[in-house]
Amino acid sequence: MVFGRSKPSSSTPSPEASTSSASAAACSELRAAYHECFNRWYADKFAKGQWNKDDCAADWHKYRACLEEHLEDKHLRQILLESETSPSYAQLDPNSSSRQGSAPSK
Amino acid sequence: MVVYTQEHVYRHPWDRVTAAAWRKFTDPASRTALSHVADVHTLQRRVDTDAGRLHAARSITVRSPPLPFILRRLLPAAAASPSGAAICHCVETSVVDAPRRAMDIVVRNVSLRGIIEVEERSTFRPHPDRPDDWTQFRQETTIRCRPLAKLAAVAEKVETRCAERFLQNSAKGREVVERICRYLEAEAAGAAPSAV
């Protein structure tokens, strides 16, 4: 179990069913609302040249607040919490050492 | 280390293909095809309304294929499951530059980095021959096992197995994007089928 409120109570790892985590369950409706808004806005406006307005900011803030409360995995939490403070997350090459050619190599 | 590249031409315009790419993991009808994906969350997003740029980071929680016993013993308890598969979090960072019609995606694992590092870089661009009708997709995947000297032979097997699995999943991902493109095309034509 990687995220979720309930810790495994015994030494046996949780079954695979538990991968639909508590954070997913708690935030699923807000996530669905955000996705619906985003998918429509992206397809109908942003990708077609109307990028002057972000239609889904309100839905995103609600969804994000829920994740902030329920997301437990520490790596993912760190990324979530960075979002409002650091504008640098968007860089695609934080530790890029991999600019090799294409063919399989050693 | 294993590096491989793939290319694909979508016979759909860039805006439709990238819209489909966003839906790939969240579309309910894709769950069966992409059954290795357990969960997806958006962790960061920013829209630059002046420059027409969209930045986003999503977590993608995946189930690995069953691992060899010797590697299972190396897994942190949190990542292990009884079947010998591992639960692994990846982070997907995307940048869409709408004026340039460019979408760049990088996926990296954040779990299990002590054992394996996977990086998948993808780009979607208008196809040079038919920029308004077709979209060129390119993907480069790098898989690197950490140097566990005594396990070098096992590590090599794992790299190969991961590479095979990534290729399979990548092909499934393209099929899903193709299907969503057809759905969006029908929807735009005012005749959206009730089921995707």
Side-chain angles (χ1 to χ4, degrees):
Chain A
M1 189 64 188
V2 185
F3 42 25
R5 301 242 122 179
S6 54
K7 301 282 187 293
S9 51
S10 67
S11 57
T12 4
S14 332
E16 297 192 308
S18 69
T19 51
S20 56
S21 59
S23 59
C27 305
S28 63
E29 281 181 26
L30 293 171
R31 173 173 61 180
Y34 168 67
H35 281 154
E36 198 174 319
C37 180
F38 176 86
N39 288 335
R40 193 142 296 283
W41 170 77
Y42 184 89
D44 295 348
K45 296 188 179 172
F46 185 83
K48 292 196 167 137
Q50 294 173 53
W51 53 71
N52 58 335
K53 190 167 164 286
D54 175 7
D55 291 353
C56 304
D59 285 319
W60 160 244
H61 287 302
K62 283 184 224 159
Y63 170 38
R64 189 188 174 281
C66 182
L67 286 179
E68 200 169 327
E69 192 178 336
H70 291 98
L71 195 63
E72 286 208 343
D73 178 81
K74 66 177 189 329
H75 295 299
L76 301 186
R77 229 187 131 68
Q78 195 183 350
I79 295 165
L80 179 77
L81 297 176
E82 275 169 14
S83 60
E84 303 296 285
T85 53
S86 138
S88 63
Y89 68 81
Q91 62 173 342
L92 288 170
D93 287 281
N95 56 357
S96 178
S97 51
S98 61
R99 289 282 77 192
Q100 291 89 356
S102 52
S105 59
K106 284 266 150 166
Chain B
M1 188 172 78
V2 184
V3 181
Y4 59 89
T5 59
Q6 297 181 84
E7 293 195 6
H8 182 69
V9 177
Y10 289 97
R11 295 176 182 232
H12 293 277
W14 179 87
D15 61 282
R16 183 182 301 148
V17 175
T18 56
W22 279 114
R23 295 183 185 209
K24 181 168 118 179
F25 297 122
T26 55
D27 177 40
S30 308
R31 292 278 152 74
T32 325
L34 303 175
S35 57
H36 61 293
V37 175
D39 206 5
V40 177
H41 277 295
T42 301
L43 301 179
Q44 302 178 348
R45 85 191 277 275
R46 196 183 61 203
V47 181
D48 182 335
T49 50
D50 295 325
R53 285 168 73 93
L54 165 66
H55 303 260
R58 299 195 295 184
S59 66
I60 302 168
T61 302
V62 295
R63 273 184 284 266
S64 80
L67 298 173
F69 179 70
I70 194 160
L71 277 181
R72 259 185 263 171
R73 294 182 55 201
L74 299 174
L75 290 180
S81 82
S83 67
I87 300 302
C88 177
H89 297 303
C90 297
V91 170
E92 172 205 74
T93 311
S94 307
V95 178
V96 184
D97 186 325
R100 280 179 53 227
R101 292 196 290 176
M103 182 179 197
D104 295 314
I105 305 171
V106 179
V107 180
R108 283 197 194 84
N109 62 312
V110 293
S111 319
L112 311 179
R113 288 190 73 84
I115 299 171
I116 192 165
E117 291 177 5
V118 180
E119 183 179 275
E120 187 181 80
R121 292 171 170 268
S122 313
T123 61
F124 291 91
R125 296 282 188 281
H127 192 280
D129 296 342
R130 297 187 59 174
D132 293 328
D133 304 314
W134 293 355
T135 304
Q136 175 86 55
F137 170 74
R138 286 205 172 89
Q139 190 174 60
E140 183 186 287
T141 307
T142 308
I143 297 171
R144 187 181 356 219
C145 268
R146 301 295 292 175
L148 300 161
K150 284 185 187 162
L151 294 174
V154 178
E156 228 168 274
K157 274 194 198 125
V158 172
E159 279 178 347
T160 313
R161 188 181 301 205
C162 282
E164 284 164 8
R165 182 57 69 107
F166 261 79
L167 281 168
Q168 287 167 10
N169 287 337
S170 183
K172 285 184 204 160
R174 281 198 304 275
E175 284 161 25
V176 167
V177 172
E178 287 279 15
R179 188 179 47 71
I180 301 173
C181 280
R182 290 195 295 276
Y183 171 78
L184 293 174
E185 184 176 31
E187 192 183 52
S194 53
V196 186

